[in-house]
Amino acid sequence: MPGCKEDRQSHHSPPARPSAVRSFRSRPELSPPAIEITTQAQDTAPGYIFVAPKKGAGQDGPMIVDDQGQLVWFSKDRYATDFRVQTYQGELVLTWWEGKVVAGHGVGEYVIFDGSYREIARVRAGNGYRGDLHEFFITPEDTALLTAYVPTQTDLSPIGGSEDGTVWDGIAQELDLETGEVLFEWRSLDHVSVQETYREPPQDPSTALDYFHINSIDIDFDGNFLISAKGTSAVYKVERETGEILWRLGGKESDFEMGQGTRFAYQHDARRQRDGTITIFDNGASPKVHEQSRAIVVELDLDEMSATLVREFTHPNELLSTSQGNVQVLPNANLFVGWGSAPYFSEYSHEGELLFDAQLLGDGQSYRAFRFPWSGQPSDNPAVAVEQGPDDKVTLYASWNGATEVESWQVLAGSTPNQLKPVGSAPRRGFETTVAVRTAEPYVAVRAKSASGRMLGTTKTVKLEDPTASSVFSPPVSS
């Protein structure tokens, strides 16, 4: 975590805080927010980190970074949420929601990219609804779980509102991804009364009350659904065939006796785990109920109908996230936590030790954050920018947005574009690697190589200008 402040009497300047926005000579059109590592990774699970920055410095968009905070892949100017790796048609893919936010809800579509970062599918909610930002989960049967909201007139007088009030009805859908057929649809207002909400009716009757606020859908062991609702501070087990509520965990009408420390408030991301426990991101706000947000693991006794807190995970900075957030149980039993409106993401051991922590600079947010293994082979070419100096010195800046197998960069030079030979090399250093060579040849390029020495891809060939020119940059390769 950040250390103590320096002695005010010291004559030494404090270390400069990193810029909130990254820039790259080879890809000048990319300006993602920077990542600051606040706890260096130790004993973490394998894989990269998947976030989708928004509302802060730099460009919005789905982003992959490594444990050093170095960019791996970024797709600019997309307002995206729920960015992660999933399996579709037997292949690992990247998925996210993208669109815009209207009245606190998402209006958009769900995107699927393959391992070469090409769009292979774009999914819309069924029955004419507009796809919401909170959930896009692909099941082993290649169906998708997603959320939607629709304003619906209802009587709010039981909670002190208008008899002709309006609420946002929370919708859970399961779609067949191949056909778009709606296999299951559930509307909160059919099963959960407005009296379960913790939210006050609006003073303006024309304003819809977000009484339920569905924010995650999961499939339980028996094929029925677990639905998380922020507005009622409850998780609902929903019967697949009828839509009936089998039980409530938390909220005003909990079917479970809530043991010490199990009460959560305005939560997100309720998931059944392999050991039978349920993980929940307990925001604890807003309004403020807890002193800080936490990730919790809860054990349910379905015979005694009791809930027991197994473990909780909190942040050293005592973060209080008023929205968003998630908990991911990793294959090695570590937990990865995205802190939602607080710009942090962290990894913990099963016992609760903080193993890794980082933050988005520039006051950005990521709805969720994940860790996944990933192998990317971009369909485009690497990018290069070239700068000439005196005495035949040439500096090259090489990058390849999304390539995960690059271990080194080899500089090529020659008298013609088709007669290039190696003149230097350098190991890959982060997203963009700088390589300096000396050559009098008029043409240069850079080749990406794997750890085994296999050629992965080559940049376009750049013709150097007259040596008196100060610099020349090749056009960036877009993706």
Side-chain angles (χ1 to χ4, degrees):
M1 302 315 302
C4 298
K5 293 181 180 179
E6 290 197 358
D7 185 348
R8 300 281 185 187
Q9 303 302 316
S10 173
H11 296 289
H12 298 289
S13 300
R17 187 172 179 83
S19 170
V21 179
R22 296 296 309 273
S23 61
F24 309 101
R25 296 206 182 193
S26 58
R27 297 298 300 264
E29 79 280 17
L30 300 183
S31 301
I35 304 291
E36 182 178 33
I37 306 301
T38 50
T39 296
Q40 295 292 332
Q42 55 176 345
D43 299 322
T44 54
Y48 296 108
I49 296 157
F50 293 74
V51 290
K54 55 187 174 66
K55 297 185 178 181
Q59 297 162 329
D60 296 340
M63 181 166 75
I64 306 173
V65 298
D66 63 19
D67 280 350
Q68 289 71 49
Q70 293 291 326
L71 184 67
V72 175
W73 180 74
F74 181 63
S75 185
K76 69 184 182 75
D77 298 333
R78 298 176 187 261
Y79 192 96
T81 66
D82 201 21
F83 175 46
R84 54 174 135 173
V85 176
Q86 300 200 70
T87 300
Y88 174 56
Q89 295 183 342
E91 301 291 335
L92 292 179
V93 293
L94 300 177
T95 68
W96 66 86
W97 171 92
E98 72 177 40
K100 59 183 179 179
V101 177
V102 178
H105 308 125
V107 177
E109 299 173 328
Y110 308 94
V111 182
I112 304 177
F113 268 32
D114 67 11
S116 296
Y117 306 99
R118 294 173 295 203
E119 183 177 313
I120 58 173
R122 187 168 285 260
V123 180
R124 295 180 178 178
N127 294 335
Y129 296 122
R130 302 182 298 182
D132 171 59
L133 61 87
H134 286 93
E135 188 73 87
F136 182 57
F137 178 73
I138 298 177
T139 72
E141 293 72 36
D142 280 342
T143 66
L145 306 181
L146 55 89
T147 56
Y149 290 85
V150 61
T152 304
Q153 189 172 7
T154 194
D155 182 5
L156 293 178
S157 61
I159 57 171
S162 169
E163 291 183 359
D164 298 322
T166 304
V167 299
W168 287 103
D169 199 356
I171 298 171
Q173 279 190 351
E174 182 176 18
L175 299 182
D176 184 302
L177 283 172
E178 186 70 24
T179 65
E181 178 187 0
V182 177
L183 305 176
F184 172 84
E185 183 172 296
W186 184 88
R187 295 178 62 145
S188 63
L189 206 55
D190 292 338
H191 305 278
V192 180
S193 76
V194 296
Q195 291 168 282
E196 289 192 39
T197 190
Y198 285 94
R199 291 178 161 172
E200 299 291 331
Q203 293 184 346
D204 181 357
S206 65
T207 300
L209 172 65
D210 196 3
Y211 93 105
F212 190 73
H213 197 92
I214 183 172
N215 58 33
S216 74
I217 314 169
D218 196 29
I219 297 181
D220 207 346
F221 297 136
D222 57 8
N224 296 315
F225 297 98
L226 295 178
I227 292 176
S228 170
K230 178 181 180 180
T232 61
S233 293
V235 176
Y236 300 83
K237 173 107 177 230
V238 173
E239 211 276 329
R240 174 184 287 272
E241 297 301 323
T242 66
E244 294 301 313
I245 294 174
L246 300 176
W247 49 249
R248 292 164 168 82
L249 175 67
K252 294 180 179 179
E253 299 182 13
S254 180
D255 292 302
F256 292 85
E257 180 181 348
M258 304 298 289
Q260 183 176 357
T262 60
R263 276 286 176 183
F264 49 86
Y266 306 108
Q267 81 292 338
H268 286 76
D269 199 41
R271 306 285 170 187
R272 178 75 82 174
Q273 302 302 329
R274 291 181 180 178
D275 63 1
T277 61
I278 290 180
T279 55
I280 299 170
F281 184 80
D282 179 14
N283 294 75
S286 104
K288 182 178 177 181
V289 176
H290 304 325
E291 289 302 313
Q292 59 183 312
S293 301
R294 57 188 185 145
I296 59 174
V297 181
V298 178
E299 185 174 7
L300 303 183
D301 185 328
L302 296 175
D303 294 323
E304 299 294 329
M305 294 304 287
S306 62
T308 303
L309 182 67
V310 177
R311 191 167 283 109
E312 67 175 14
F313 302 80
T314 57
H315 195 277
N317 292 0
E318 299 184 359
L319 304 175
L320 188 65
S321 300
T322 56
S323 66
Q324 310 164 84
N326 72 298
V327 184
Q328 179 192 15
V329 177
L330 298 168
N332 67 350
N334 287 356
L335 262 77
F336 200 84
V337 180
W339 294 95
S341 60
Y344 288 84
F345 39 93
S346 315
E347 185 168 337
Y348 298 83
S349 70
H350 179 72
E351 292 73 26
E353 179 187 0
L354 182 65
L355 304 177
F356 170 80
D357 187 57
Q359 76 172 111
L360 289 165
L361 297 181
D363 298 321
Q365 304 176 2
S366 182
Y367 167 59
R368 289 172 175 166
F370 298 95
R371 182 188 289 281
F372 290 107
W374 174 250
S375 177
Q377 299 86 33
S379 57
D380 61 0
N381 296 321
V384 66
V386 181
E387 184 178 283
Q388 291 177 248
D391 303 322
D392 295 334
K393 182 179 180 181
V394 179
T395 304
L396 301 98
Y397 304 88
S399 66
W400 201 359
N401 191 22
T404 58
E405 306 303 319
V406 178
E407 288 291 329
S408 64
W409 292 99
Q410 184 180 62
V411 179
L412 310 172
S415 58
T416 70
N418 298 321
Q419 293 181 324
L420 303 180
K421 296 181 179 179
V423 295
S425 65
R428 179 187 179 275
R429 302 185 188 94
F431 182 80
E432 182 175 76
T433 300
T434 304
V435 191
V437 298
R438 292 188 184 277
T439 181
E441 300 290 0
Y443 293 94
V444 294
V446 183
R447 174 182 294 162
K449 301 181 76 174
S450 70
S452 64
R454 182 168 57 93
M455 186 187 75
L456 301 173
T458 305
T459 67
K460 68 177 295 181
T461 300
V462 178
K463 186 179 188 301
L464 300 179
E465 299 294 333
D466 185 275
T468 59
S470 60
S471 65
V472 55
F473 293 95
S474 68
V477 180
S478 62
S479 64

